[in-house]
Amino acid sequence: MTVLKYDELPKNIQDIDLSILEKAIICQETSRPFRIIKKELEFYKKHHIALPSLHPDIRIEKRIERKSKI
């Protein structure tokens, strides 16, 4: 399996193809690898959202922190 740093990914989501599903991305905060699933990639492309740079666990933790401050 190929492992990529977030900085190595194309900046435009439309330039990312299905081959990303077979690769792991290194989290910028924890250096833990994570993968993108097909439905997730389809969602990001549909809404023109860049791929995440953080591991899903870290994204969830940050979301919980933001909600607890409200």
Side-chain angles (χ1 to χ4, degrees):
M1 175 182 302
T2 305
V3 179
L4 300 171
K5 292 182 181 178
Y6 183 76
D7 298 341
E8 298 172 337
L9 296 173
K11 299 303 176 213
N12 186 338
I13 187 66
Q14 300 306 327
D15 294 337
I16 297 175
D17 60 21
L18 291 176
S19 68
I20 193 69
L21 304 178
E22 300 168 7
K23 300 173 183 172
I25 302 167
I26 299 296
C27 174
Q28 288 188 318
E29 193 168 301
T30 64
S31 298
R32 289 171 51 195
F34 66 94
R35 294 182 60 193
I36 302 294
I37 62 172
K38 188 173 181 181
K39 288 280 187 188
E40 187 178 11
L41 180 61
E42 289 169 354
F43 176 84
Y44 294 140
K45 283 185 173 250
K46 178 180 178 181
H47 297 286
H48 304 283
I49 300 171
L51 288 179
S53 63
L54 301 176
H55 189 279
D57 293 345
I58 302 302
R59 287 183 265 157
I60 291 168
E61 286 175 14
K62 289 185 180 288
R63 193 173 311 127
I64 290 170
E65 286 174 14
R66 283 192 306 264
K67 285 191 172 224
S68 67
K69 292 180 182 179
I70 296 177

